Amino acid sequence: MKLKLHLITPFIFFSIGLCAQKKKVTKPQPDASKIIQLSNSVIDLSNSYSKTLENYKNIASNVQSNVERLVKNPNLTPHAVRCDLTIQSSIQTAYTATLNAAPVFDEKMAIKKNVSEGENNIKSVSKWCTALSDYVSNKDFKDDKKLIKYNQINDSLLSNIKKSEISWRTAGHLASDAGNKAELALLKNSPIASFVIPMKKDLINLNAVFDMFQTKTPDVNTIKSALNTLKTSIETNKDISKKDTSKLKDAYYKSVYETFYRKCSSATESLNTVTDRLQEKKLDTANIESWFDSASSDYNNAVQSYNTFVSQ
């Protein structure tokens, strides 16, 4: 079963902690901060379009119910279909600006390609949504007894939604990877590098485990192996007694560090339970989703703790 994510963002992407790192950027590293800015703008764009695509899916589902109702009784009044879905122009502007400002890096061209494809597919989605709206408002269903025309329009709409989802998901993953690498480069010069670099790496690896569930049939053995490796890392890194806490701004951040690792540990335990439940002969979907939601909540809290910690 494919589990639905309830993380900070639809694709489990979280914006890189640039604001917290700005004061630590040294002259040789302006490129890293520009990559992080681009990464964050792509993630914001990706998340915004993902929400828009979910709304288009809801429209398609509602129209289907509407058409089924109208076919049974053509004299009923059709429900209006709205297709004027947009994203904030500021998000698009930020992406364009950060793309132009960012230096060349490994993922840049692929990011640009997938964003472009995603935008073009969104235009096609809008076009087919409008066709669906016209189908309903013009009452084409009266002559479309076998729903041949309706199915053609609906299939085209759903196909373009799927294509766009893939493009935005890919763009988001590439941006997240590039941003994480750039942030790790910046963190090397942080006075609290011995704290934040392990935290960031553990967060990236936890993120990767969540991503493993995003298939129809998650590979439980691979996930178990990744979780065991992550648990070992968490157990090693959470021991703050081996670190120089005098480098922390104040004692408060010691508790933030401990909270971060407590949430990471709790998330991995919940995900481990999910994998156990997925191996049962009779799947209890509600129970599995409950454990997954719990892991998602812990992950979100871990991200918040990380952002708080690096802000000192």
Side-chain angles (χ1 to χ4, degrees):
M1 62 180 291
K2 184 175 180 179
L3 292 163
K4 186 176 181 181
L5 292 171
H6 297 284
L7 304 184
I8 284 179
T9 61
F11 297 149
I12 65 173
F13 304 141
F14 56 91
S15 291
I16 312 303
L18 174 63
C19 291
Q21 295 306 320
K22 277 183 179 174
K23 61 184 178 184
K24 301 181 181 73
V25 177
T26 55
K27 254 189 173 179
Q29 299 169 311
D31 284 356
S33 62
K34 289 178 181 177
I35 291 171
I36 292 173
Q37 288 174 331
L38 173 58
S39 172
N40 286 342
S41 71
V42 172
I43 290 169
D44 287 343
L45 194 65
S46 193
N47 291 336
S48 295
Y49 273 121
S50 297
K51 291 175 184 176
T52 298
L53 290 169
E54 282 299 317
N55 289 333
Y56 275 119
K57 280 185 184 178
N58 291 334
I59 288 171
S61 178
N62 291 336
V63 170
Q64 182 177 1
S65 300
N66 197 11
V67 168
E68 290 171 354
R69 180 180 68 93
L70 294 167
V71 166
K72 291 178 183 177
N73 188 349
N75 294 320
L76 293 173
T77 303
H79 296 152
V81 181
R82 287 190 56 218
C83 296
D84 53 338
L85 304 182
T86 59
I87 66 164
Q88 294 178 11
S89 59
S90 59
I91 298 176
Q92 183 68 54
T93 301
Y95 163 70
T96 303
T98 55
L99 178 68
N100 292 334
V104 175
F105 58 95
D106 292 346
E107 298 87 353
K108 186 175 182 180
M109 291 307 297
I111 288 173
K112 185 177 179 180
K113 174 178 176 289
N114 279 280
V115 167
S116 179
E117 288 176 352
E119 289 174 336
N120 287 334
N121 287 325
I122 283 282
K123 291 176 183 177
S124 295
V125 168
S126 179
K127 182 188 78 171
W128 286 108
C129 182
T130 300
L132 205 55
S133 177
D134 291 343
Y135 176 91
V136 173
S137 61
N138 294 335
K139 299 185 178 181
D140 292 350
F141 50 84
K142 287 188 174 182
D143 299 319
D144 189 25
K145 302 300 182 183
K146 294 184 178 180
L147 298 182
I148 294 174
K149 183 177 179 180
Y150 164 74
N151 286 327
Q152 288 175 338
I153 296 172
N154 190 57
D155 288 349
S156 295
L157 173 60
L158 295 178
S159 174
N160 279 283
I161 287 175
K162 187 174 182 179
K163 288 178 184 177
S164 193
E165 283 179 329
I166 292 171
S167 295
W168 289 117
R169 186 178 298 116
T170 303
H173 275 299
L174 289 166
S176 183
D177 289 345
N180 284 333
K181 286 192 288 187
E183 186 177 4
L184 284 170
L186 289 180
L187 292 175
K188 288 179 182 178
N189 293 317
S190 168
I192 54 172
S194 61
F195 292 88
V196 291
I197 291 178
M199 291 173 75
K200 182 64 181 179
K201 288 181 177 178
D202 286 336
L203 202 54
I204 290 170
N205 290 330
L206 179 54
N207 192 330
V209 174
F210 273 102
D211 205 30
M212 292 178 185
F213 287 94
Q214 297 311 291
T215 61
K216 289 183 179 179
T217 53
D219 186 335
V220 173
N221 291 330
T222 300
I223 294 172
K224 281 274 191 184
S225 177
L227 282 171
N228 287 334
T229 300
L230 180 57
K231 282 185 205 175
T232 300
S233 179
I234 288 172
E235 286 301 312
T236 300
N237 295 329
K238 75 178 185 180
D239 187 0
I240 201 169
S241 67
K242 297 178 180 178
K243 297 183 183 295
D244 183 2
T245 54
S246 67
K247 293 181 178 181
L248 303 182
K249 187 176 180 180
D250 55 51
Y252 166 70
Y253 291 99
K254 179 177 180 288
S255 67
V256 173
Y257 184 88
E258 291 170 339
T259 297
F260 170 82
Y261 273 108
R262 189 165 58 250
K263 294 302 180 181
C264 285
S265 181
S266 180
T268 58
E269 290 302 325
S270 293
L271 291 177
N272 197 56
T273 301
V274 170
T275 58
D276 289 340
R277 296 290 185 269
L278 287 173
Q279 290 177 301
E280 294 175 352
K281 289 184 178 180
K282 188 175 181 181
L283 297 182
D284 185 339
T285 304
N287 182 265
I288 291 171
E289 289 181 346
S290 176
W291 279 106
F292 197 74
D293 287 349
S294 178
S296 303
S297 177
D298 284 328
Y299 172 87
N300 288 342
N301 288 327
V303 171
Q304 290 167 5
S305 293
Y306 171 81
N307 287 336
T308 299
F309 191 86
V310 298
S311 71
Q312 61 183 294

